[in-house]
Amino acid sequence: MQKFIVTPNEAGQRLDKLLFKYLNLAPKSFIYKMLRKKNITLNHKKCDGSEKTAVGDEVSLWLADETIEKFRETKCFERVPQHFKVIFEDDNLLAVNKPAGLLSQKAKPEDISANEEAISYLLENRVITEKLLEVFKPSVCHRLDRNTSGLLIIGKSLHGLQHMSELLKERTAEKYYLCLVDGVLTTSKHIQGYLVKDEKTNQVTVSESPVSGSHHIETLYEPLGNNGHQTLLKVELITGRTHQIRAHLASVGHGIIGDGKYGSERANDYFRKHYHLKHQLLHSWQMSFDGQCLTAPLWPDFEAILKGEHLWTVYENLK
């Protein structure tokens, strides 16, 4: 027989979900059978798994130690070096400045992403333990494209992850991006459209009118300055769809510099030759929520291009 006490990072979820993590090799049918037979109890009472757990709840496993060991696999987390820069950290959230080229979350089992880097950082700084990872893994609250840099929020605790995810879902967190686009823009504009994603190509198209499978999108941009050829924009993401900023700006004739999917090949060639640019110049710059504002400075490659293209003072004035 074994028992454990529900911690803050385990509370708030259904009991069966918690048991699936704790007895991670057990078939779900086995866990539900043990619940029915009262071989698993919650606070010494019969339960069916649908109960919401709370801090301090006692979960008792009236099973042989050998059975628990058979159905419980513990893995040592493989730590990886960090490529991000920490912007902010409290008990519930970790905000980092992600470089372009780093995935937010892994797409394949062998990938290393900002998520794995964040867990490694938290382990190394003894914020979390290997034992905690058995039932809760810190995770990104939203995603940035691999080749988009900037502010990325990670939930360190279950509360932080759930709260931040809810703010983003309800659109009460304000998100601002900086990007360098082809062409000259001088007037702020609120643009709307409809976006459709092709799952096979992972590419989207934008139209002015709704079509089958489309989602309404809204993007607000403010020109900060131009050099006669390109414009530095501050963009507020009103809705948040796949590749929204990239495809939406391209659809109105102002593709983001360096964007191989939606941008201008002519403009991209220039920046490849002069700056060896290999990614879009789109940066998640600022996020405001819960009365605080977090800002991620530009990475050196973006800075170098703004300086080389006589737009650095525009960014300096923004700061």
Side-chain angles (χ1 to χ4, degrees):
M1 181 266 184
Q2 293 183 19
K3 65 180 180 180
F4 63 89
I5 304 299
V6 175
T7 68
N9 279 325
E10 297 163 335
Q13 59 185 309
R14 285 172 54 116
L15 175 62
D16 53 3
K17 296 287 180 63
L18 180 57
L19 290 169
F20 297 155
K21 296 173 185 176
Y22 193 80
L23 299 174
N24 54 346
L25 296 182
K28 291 182 179 180
S29 58
F30 171 82
I31 290 175
Y32 287 123
K33 182 179 179 181
M34 293 302 100
L35 287 166
R36 287 195 303 273
K37 295 180 69 174
K38 290 183 66 175
N39 286 339
I40 300 177
T41 60
L42 179 65
N43 297 323
H44 310 290
K45 296 178 182 178
K46 185 177 181 180
C47 47
D48 62 15
S50 65
E51 297 80 4
K52 277 287 183 71
T53 56
V55 176
D57 279 350
E58 182 178 303
V59 181
S60 301
L61 307 174
W62 300 89
L63 306 168
D65 289 345
E66 295 80 10
T67 301
I68 294 173
E69 187 176 324
K70 173 185 173 183
F71 288 131
R72 183 166 162 77
E73 180 184 41
T74 58
K75 293 181 180 179
C76 183
F77 185 83
E78 185 177 347
R79 304 189 190 194
V80 295
Q82 290 89 63
H83 298 91
F84 55 66
K85 295 179 181 178
V86 175
I87 299 296
F88 168 83
E89 186 173 0
D90 65 10
D91 291 341
N92 295 302
L93 298 176
L94 172 68
V96 303
N97 191 353
K98 183 187 84 68
L102 178 64
L103 286 166
S104 296
Q105 285 184 315
K106 61 169 63 182
K108 303 186 294 291
E110 63 271 20
D111 286 338
I112 300 297
S113 72
N115 219 65
E116 285 69 52
E117 293 193 5
I119 293 173
S120 294
Y121 166 83
L122 294 171
L123 284 169
E124 288 167 10
N125 287 276
R126 300 183 179 180
V127 176
I128 61 172
T129 63
E130 294 274 2
K131 185 172 178 57
L132 171 65
L133 293 179
E134 294 174 14
V135 291
F136 171 76
K137 283 186 172 64
S139 177
V140 296
C141 304
H142 59 112
R143 295 188 185 188
L144 297 178
D145 293 341
R146 179 199 287 265
N147 288 318
T148 296
S149 59
L151 192 63
L152 186 66
I153 310 292
I154 293 126
K156 287 172 55 176
S157 68
L158 182 62
H159 170 74
L161 179 60
Q162 291 176 335
H163 178 63
M164 194 69 224
S165 298
E166 191 65 24
L167 290 180
L168 292 167
K169 181 180 178 181
E170 294 178 350
R171 301 178 188 171
T172 53
E174 298 175 352
K175 295 185 287 183
Y176 300 94
Y177 291 72
L178 295 179
C179 60
L180 188 64
V181 299
D182 188 36
V184 174
L185 288 164
T186 57
T187 306
S188 297
K189 196 168 183 180
H190 183 176
I191 55 177
Q192 302 186 52
Y194 295 86
L195 179 148
V196 177
K197 181 180 180 182
D198 186 328
E199 297 293 345
K200 292 181 180 179
T201 63
N202 192 34
Q203 196 155 346
V204 304
T205 54
V206 175
S207 62
E208 293 184 358
S209 303
V211 296
S212 176
S214 66
H215 297 279
H216 179 251
I217 57 173
E218 295 184 53
T219 310
L220 180 64
Y221 66 76
E222 175 190 350
L224 301 174
N226 70 82
N227 61 6
H229 302 283
Q230 294 90 32
T231 304
L232 183 65
L233 292 183
K234 175 183 173 183
V235 178
E236 181 178 0
L237 199 56
I238 308 299
T239 56
R241 295 290 178 182
T242 302
H243 300 177
Q244 178 179 320
I245 296 175
R246 297 164 58 190
H248 212 177
L249 290 173
S251 74
V252 294
H254 297 282
I256 295 174
I257 298 300
D259 189 343
K261 275 191 175 181
Y262 307 105
S264 161
E265 190 58 33
R266 170 194 52 78
N268 291 347
D269 275 343
Y270 171 83
F271 284 89
R272 269 195 297 266
K273 291 174 182 176
H274 287 78
Y275 298 99
H276 308 290
L277 181 64
K278 297 179 180 178
H279 61 85
Q280 64 261 13
L281 293 178
L282 176 60
H283 181 78
S284 174
W285 176 61
Q286 203 170 74
M287 190 179 295
S288 298
F289 58 93
D290 290 344
Q292 61 183 332
C293 181
L294 303 180
T295 302
L298 293 179
W299 284 83
D301 54 352
F302 203 150
E303 286 188 5
I305 289 175
L306 291 185
K307 289 174 181 176
E309 296 302 310
H310 311 292
L311 285 164
W312 180 245
T313 55
V314 175
Y315 175 65
E316 284 283 274
N317 290 336
L318 179 64
K319 293 192 294 182

